[in-house]
Amino acid sequence: MKKRTLGKTGIDISPLVLGGNVFGWTIDEKTSMDVLDAYVDHGFNAIDTADVYSAWVPGNRGGESETIIGRWLKERPAIRNQIVIFTKVGSDLGESGKKGLSARWIRQAVDESLARLGVERIDVYFSHWPDKDIPYEETLAGFEELKGAGKIRAAGASNLNSIQLSDALAVSRKRELPRYEVLQPEYNLYDRASYDGDLRDLCIKENIGVVTYYSLASGFLAGKYRSKSDLGKSARGAGIAKYLDQRGTRILDALDEIANRQNVRPSEVALAWLMARKGVTAPITSATKREHVESFARAASLTLPAEELAFLNEAST
C-alpha cells in the first residue's frame, strides 16, 4: 500500500488511520485485537488513540484503549517498527491534576501513555483540546523536552481553529520551539465548515499533516441511519440526529448514486472523497469487526474521477 508523508514529520503513514476510540468501549479486547490484526494484514500502519479512551465507560479510568494496543503490540513484537502510534494528552481524566496542557502534566502523562502502550516512543503526541489557562509557550516547551528525551517524534494538535493554530505556530517561530506538525480536525462530507477555509488554507501553506476524525460522521455517511427510528442501532446513535436534515439526505443520495455506479459502499465513497481532498493526509475511522477493515481497504484503492468529486462537493455545500 502506498504511504503518504505526514507533513514535515518525516513519518510515512497509510492513507487511512485506524481509530482506537472503540477499543474497550463498543468492542472488547479480543475483538479489538482481531480488528488490529486485520488492519495490519491489509497493509495499513497508523493507529490513533488517546489517554482518555475509554474513560466514559462505567468502571473505567481512562487509558483502556492504549492498554489494549499495548498488549496487542507486546504479543506481536515483530511488527512494532512497522506501526505508527498517535495518542493524545489534555482531556480530563477525572482525577486531580490529570488534565490540561501544563508542562508538568505533559511530562507525567506521556510516561503513563508510554507504559500502557509498552513502547519507548510515541510517533505523534497530540494536545487533545485547547487549554485557555496554559500559554502555548509552556505546552510547546513541554513537547520540546519530550522530543529531546526521545519520548515523542513529533507534536500535533487536535481541535484548534485557524487563529489558535496560527498563534501556536507564531510562538514556535519566536521562541524556537517545536511546532504542531500535525492537525486533527473534525472533518467529513457533512461537517466541513470548521476546517474548509482559513484553517485548511493554513495547513496547506505550512505543510502541516492533517488526519481527520469523525470521518464518517459517527457512521451517518455509511448510510446506516436514514431516519430517527434507526438511531438505536448503535451506542453512537444518539449523536446522529443532527445529520437527519435536508442536507444530510442530499449527501446520502449523492453517496448512494456514486456507490451504485462504482459498485462499492457509500462509506467507501465518503472515505475516498476525504483521501482525495487537498489538505488531508488521511482520515481516521474506527472499526468494530474485520469486515469494516476490508471495506477500508476497498476505499483506499478507490479513485473517484473529477466529476464525481465535484458532484459530492456540490451535494455537501
Side-chain angles (χ1 to χ4, degrees):
M1 180 176 294
K2 187 175 181 179
K3 303 298 193 292
R4 299 177 172 189
T5 300
L6 187 60
K8 293 182 177 180
T9 64
I11 299 169
D12 292 333
I13 64 170
S14 50
L16 187 145
V17 178
L18 183 65
N21 59 316
V22 296
F23 301 159
W25 174 30
T26 60
I27 56 175
D28 61 18
E29 182 170 320
K30 182 177 182 297
T31 306
S32 299
M33 289 189 176
D34 191 48
V35 165
L36 285 161
D37 283 341
Y39 180 73
V40 172
D41 289 346
H42 279 85
F44 296 108
N45 75 330
I47 302 166
D48 175 80
T49 186
D51 58 1
V52 75
Y53 300 162
S54 301
W56 50 83
V57 177
N60 285 359
R61 299 179 59 184
E64 286 76 16
S65 174
E66 290 180 329
T67 299
I68 288 171
I69 294 167
R71 288 173 180 161
W72 174 75
L73 286 170
K74 185 177 181 179
E75 292 179 10
R76 297 154 182 82
I79 68 168
R80 170 60 190 107
N81 291 335
Q82 303 170 28
I83 303 301
V84 174
I85 298 291
F86 303 158
T87 194
K88 310 178 193 73
V89 60
S91 289
D92 190 346
L93 295 181
E95 298 181 37
S96 178
K98 290 194 168 188
K99 65 177 182 179
L101 297 175
S102 69
R104 177 206 62 78
W105 171 233
I106 288 172
R107 291 188 204 103
Q108 179 181 343
V110 76
D111 286 340
E112 293 182 6
S113 286
L114 286 167
R116 287 188 291 262
L117 289 163
V119 298
E120 295 181 352
R121 183 174 64 174
I122 292 161
D123 294 293
V124 184
Y125 199 38
F126 289 85
S127 59
H128 206 159
W129 299 94
D131 186 342
K132 61 180 178 59
D133 297 320
I134 302 296
Y136 292 121
E137 184 173 357
E138 178 177 345
T139 300
L140 295 170
F143 284 130
E144 181 180 43
E145 182 179 332
L146 301 188
K147 285 190 71 176
K151 295 180 178 181
I152 68 172
R153 290 180 67 181
S158 185
N159 299 299
L160 295 187
N161 61 33
S162 60
I163 294 173
Q164 291 166 330
L165 180 57
S166 180
D167 288 348
L169 293 173
V171 169
S172 296
R173 288 191 295 268
K174 183 176 181 180
R175 301 299 183 187
E176 296 184 341
L177 293 168
R179 71 172 198 163
Y180 287 131
E181 297 289 359
V182 187
L183 180 72
Q184 191 172 135
E186 179 179 0
Y187 190 57
N188 56 62
L189 263 171
Y190 188 101
D191 298 300
R192 296 181 57 178
S194 64
Y195 181 59
D196 276 344
D198 291 345
L199 184 55
R200 178 168 170 258
D201 292 345
L202 178 61
C203 289
I204 293 170
K205 177 185 175 184
E206 295 286 345
N207 192 16
I208 291 171
V210 175
V211 289
T212 63
Y213 73 89
Y214 284 172
S215 302
L216 290 175
S218 299
F220 172 73
L221 297 174
K224 182 178 179 179
Y225 308 92
R226 303 278 179 163
S227 67
K228 290 184 178 179
S229 63
D230 293 329
L231 299 181
K233 289 182 176 180
S234 78
R236 285 179 151 190
I240 305 296
K242 63 183 180 180
Y243 298 117
L244 296 173
D245 57 13
Q246 187 176 21
R247 180 166 169 265
T249 299
R250 187 171 68 244
I251 292 170
L252 288 184
D253 288 344
L255 288 171
D256 287 341
E257 181 173 334
I258 294 174
N260 289 333
R261 192 183 306 163
Q262 294 271 10
N263 194 29
V264 294
R265 297 176 181 177
S267 60
E268 294 161 11
V269 176
L271 290 172
W273 177 84
L274 273 172
M275 286 184 268
R277 190 80 174 144
K278 186 177 181 181
V280 173
T281 309
I284 301 168
T285 190
S286 55
T288 57
K289 51 188 175 181
R290 276 183 169 265
E291 295 90 292
H292 292 158
V293 179
E294 292 165 3
S295 179
F296 299 163
R298 291 192 294 271
S301 65
L302 178 61
T303 300
L304 299 176
E307 61 269 20
E308 292 183 348
L309 293 171
F311 183 58
L312 290 168
N313 286 333
E314 183 179 356
S316 63
T317 55

